[in-house]
Amino acid sequence: LATNNITSGVSSSSFTSNIDSTYDTYIFKFINIHPATQSAEFQFQVNASGESGFNETMTTSLFQTFHYEDSSYTSLNYRTSHDQTQGTAYQSISDDITNDNDGSCSGYLYLFSPSSTTFVKHFISRVNTHGHDTTRFTDTKFCAGYINTTSAIDEISYQMSSGNIDSGVIKMYGITK
């Protein structure tokens, strides 16, 4: 339905049209999202129809798998620091992304029934990161939750927690009912 091709630093990448009742589920695919700032978080937030500010209320949960390149550390854990309980902040779906030339994150986010005016809006995401702290690693974040509004959702925005999105591609698809 739409593609945001980011070729130079932008503070955010938004889809402000085509999210409507045409499709019951929308999929957003992130391809090689590269941050300008070391260890930034890739985040999203939405607007209800007629609203602005990308600050809808969410309840979310996030867990991760983790593996250092040199095999010195592996993990599967729940990340309470990335949860929101009726929060209005941008939701982190990936973090610790290296801004080295070969660093990026890729994945997807499903948004279910955004045009419903009866139910809250559920979402799930899975994003893999090439990260860097003292050792390079692969890290996959699984995030899910709901946007606590029965108003239709018609806009979505992606950003980094600090600095710009330096480059990457975000694609929006619709799945027919």
Side-chain angles (χ1 to χ4, degrees), residues 19-158:
I19 302 175
D20 54 32
S21 61
T22 303
Y23 300 99
D24 193 44
T25 302
Y26 287 81
I27 302 171
F28 298 88
K29 293 194 176 183
F30 323 115
I31 302 157
N32 293 326
I33 303 298
H34 185 266
T37 303
Q38 180 73 339
S39 298
E41 298 179 14
F42 187 53
Q43 307 172 321
F44 87 99
Q45 184 46 282
V46 298
N47 274 336
S49 182
E51 298 296 322
S52 63
F54 293 104
N55 57 2
E56 298 302 322
T57 302
M58 293 187 207
T59 294
T60 65
S61 182
L62 186 142
F63 73 95
Q64 73 178 34
T65 64
F66 199 91
H67 189 187
Y68 273 3
E69 193 173 84
D70 67 3
S71 291
S72 65
Y73 179 72
T74 61
S75 179
L76 168 65
N77 61 59
Y78 174 53
R79 296 286 302 269
T80 58
S81 63
H82 286 21
D83 289 354
Q84 292 195 62
T85 305
Q86 295 299 285
T88 58
Y90 271 70
Q91 175 61 45
S92 176
I93 54 177
S94 187
D95 66 357
D96 294 327
I97 310 163
T98 183
N99 68 345
D100 293 350
N101 289 337
D102 61 349
S104 66
C105 71
S106 296
Y108 59 79
L109 182 140
Y110 282 70
L111 179 60
F112 300 98
S113 300
S115 64
S116 171
T117 55
T118 303
F119 301 109
V120 299
K121 315 308 178 276
H122 296 272
F123 71 89
I124 59 172
S125 71
R126 181 178 180 184
V127 181
N128 190 72
T129 300
H130 174 243
H132 184 277
D133 53 15
T134 57
T135 304
R136 292 176 178 271
F137 58 85
T138 184
D139 174 16
T140 302
K141 299 273 191 313
F142 300 83
C143 185
Y146 63 90
I147 301 147
N148 196 9
T149 182
T150 56
S151 297
I153 298 296
D154 63 357
E155 298 179 332
I156 190 165
S157 176
Y158 298 93

